[in-house]
Amino acid sequence: MHIGNYLGALKTWTRLQHDYECIYCIVDLHAITVYQDPKELLQKIRDTAALFLASGIDPQVSSVIVQSSISAHAELAWMLTCVTPMGWLSRMTQFKAKAEKQETVGDGLFQYPVLMAADILLYQAAIVPVGDDQTQHVELTRDIAQRFNSLYGETFVVPETKLPAVGARIMGLDDPLKKMSKSEPGSGHAVALLDPPEAVRRKIMRATTDSNPAVDFDALGPGVQNLLNIFQAFSEWSDDQMRAHFSGMRYGELKKQVAEMVITHLEPLQARYRQIISEPGYLDGVLREAAARVRPIADSTVELVKRRMGLYVAD
Ligand code: AMP
């Protein structure tokens, strides 16, 4: 995971957990919509869980689950597939972008947003805190919920998207016109949450800017705008503070200050991550307990959906 994931999602998630009952899901079934090396995938699932906790998600307060450990996700996804027109799915921009990169496009990639709708609707979620790139998928989830409700009667809560005020879309450091993304190649593209300080410095110092020498808030190019966004999202400074501090600053100095701000926030996160993975059995315990806590919610939604659709439910 990279700082876009942190600023667009994880940071908001840690805040929301004190105001809502939160369920956060490691979507391994979504990951396999493109080929994954099995050993690496298992390691990534564990790393992601550890990074959720290291970012501040408190397993005593929120539930962190692995999608494939609750079979109701896949079950509900099938039922929702049957009420989702193909035309809705072919309009999804993420599908189009990801499909272009594949030699063969698996059906799972096409169905990806329906599985995401199942992840959300299974828990009757009211709010979905995501980065800007996921708003189209949450809109589709709302459409699927509404269509199901109108076909079979009121069943699902229709969820709302919640975007962070700053950091909803962090762009690639090498190309500020492209969203920072896990799947983008190139060592200068993204700052990973586990990058050591020297890698963070190197990537940010090499970030693409423009031909101006210094920050001009009246003519910000996308690269400089992105660096300022990253700084502001981590520091939580106001717009006025940002202007007062950075106006006229040379790009070299701006980059240094952005790099130090990122490192200051990543260091404690990385220390917590190392602590979490060093405790044998801790992570599995957290994931097992959370799955046991939320499984009854998921099972009761599937049972309700079965009854609504006229499927067989043993009494
Ligand atoms: P993904 O990397 O697609 O699994 O996304 C995980 C979460 O991070 C989702 O809530 C995304 O909206 C969010 N996210 C991913 N990339 C970015 C980005 N570049 N900027 C802000 N949020 C992002």
Side-chain angles (χ1 to χ4, degrees):
M1 290 207 291
H2 50 70
I3 56 171
N5 296 130
Y6 178 77
L7 297 173
L10 284 166
K11 192 163 179 274
T12 320
W13 298 359
T14 61
R15 289 236 178 95
L16 288 177
Q17 64 185 344
H18 302 294
D19 299 329
Y20 297 89
E21 185 187 339
C22 296
I23 301 170
Y24 296 123
C25 187
I26 295 152
V27 289
D28 54 348
L29 294 175
H30 277 104
I32 58 168
T33 55
V34 294
Y35 176 78
Q36 303 286 340
D37 177 89
K39 276 206 193 85
E40 275 182 27
L41 179 60
L42 191 56
Q43 188 55 46
K44 282 184 191 165
I45 293 166
R46 302 182 67 81
D47 273 355
T48 306
L51 282 170
F52 277 22
L53 303 182
S55 299
I57 292 173
D58 178 352
Q60 304 295 327
V61 176
S62 303
S63 301
V64 174
I65 55 168
V66 178
Q67 188 182 29
S68 64
S69 65
I70 297 178
S71 51
H73 286 253
E75 213 175 342
L76 182 61
W78 174 251
M79 295 163 191
L80 298 179
T81 295
C82 297
V83 301
T84 307
M86 285 173 69
W88 290 3
L89 297 178
S90 36
R91 283 197 285 276
M92 295 296 111
T93 53
Q94 283 217 2
F95 168 70
K96 288 187 217 165
K98 283 191 183 167
E100 268 173 18
K101 293 186 195 156
Q102 306 298 318
E103 263 175 43
T104 48
V105 179
D107 188 31
L109 201 56
F110 192 62
Q111 302 295 336
Y112 181 112
V114 186
L115 179 58
M116 177 162 160
D119 300 336
I120 297 165
L121 301 179
L122 198 51
Y123 300 101
Q124 305 287 9
I127 282 177
V128 191
V130 283
D132 178 56
D133 59 330
Q134 291 295 340
T135 48
Q136 195 186 32
H137 288 162
V138 183
E139 274 304 311
L140 180 86
T141 301
R142 291 168 56 83
D143 289 343
I144 294 173
Q146 275 157 350
R147 187 172 160 86
F148 191 98
N149 288 349
S150 77
L151 284 171
Y152 295 106
E154 245 358 82
T155 306
F156 294 118
V157 171
V158 180
E160 304 280 343
T161 308
K162 189 171 181 69
L163 293 175
V166 184
R169 181 170 282 255
I170 300 299
M171 310 307 281
L173 295 172
D174 56 346
D175 180 355
L177 298 178
K178 271 196 192 154
K179 177 188 87 155
M180 187 178 280
S181 154
K182 291 187 197 104
S183 52
E184 204 59 47
S187 64
H189 175 75
V191 172
L193 294 181
L194 296 176
D195 271 348
E198 56 280 17
V200 178
R201 275 191 204 102
R202 179 172 42 79
K203 289 175 181 179
I204 293 179
M205 293 311 289
R206 285 192 195 155
T208 303
T209 49
D210 51 53
S211 54
N212 293 335
V215 180
D216 174 359
F217 277 89
D218 297 324
L220 287 179
V224 175
Q225 176 77 69
N226 190 40
L227 289 171
L228 291 168
N229 275 350
I230 292 171
F231 187 99
Q232 188 174 17
F234 274 111
S235 67
E236 301 185 359
W237 285 12
S238 67
D239 291 348
D240 288 346
Q241 269 175 302
M242 291 294 292
R243 264 180 188 265
H245 184 78
F246 286 109
S247 279
M249 186 181 284
R250 298 190 73 81
Y251 289 164
E253 180 59 23
L254 163 72
K255 287 177 172 178
K256 260 192 216 153
Q257 296 201 12
V258 174
E260 293 318 307
M261 177 57 69
V262 174
I263 291 166
T264 306
H265 281 80
L266 292 191
E267 269 175 350
L269 185 152
Q270 293 174 355
R272 283 195 297 272
Y273 167 85
R274 284 192 292 271
Q275 158 96 38
I276 290 162
I277 55 163
S278 70
E279 279 179 52
Y282 173 71
L283 208 51
D284 288 323
V286 165
L287 296 173
R288 203 178 312 112
E289 269 175 36
R293 197 156 54 222
V294 304
R295 201 172 275 118
I297 311 174
D299 288 345
S300 80
T301 304
V302 165
E303 188 181 322
L304 176 66
V305 172
K306 281 185 169 176
R307 289 188 193 279
R308 289 276 196 266
M309 294 182 100
L311 295 168
Y312 175 71
V313 180
D315 281 322

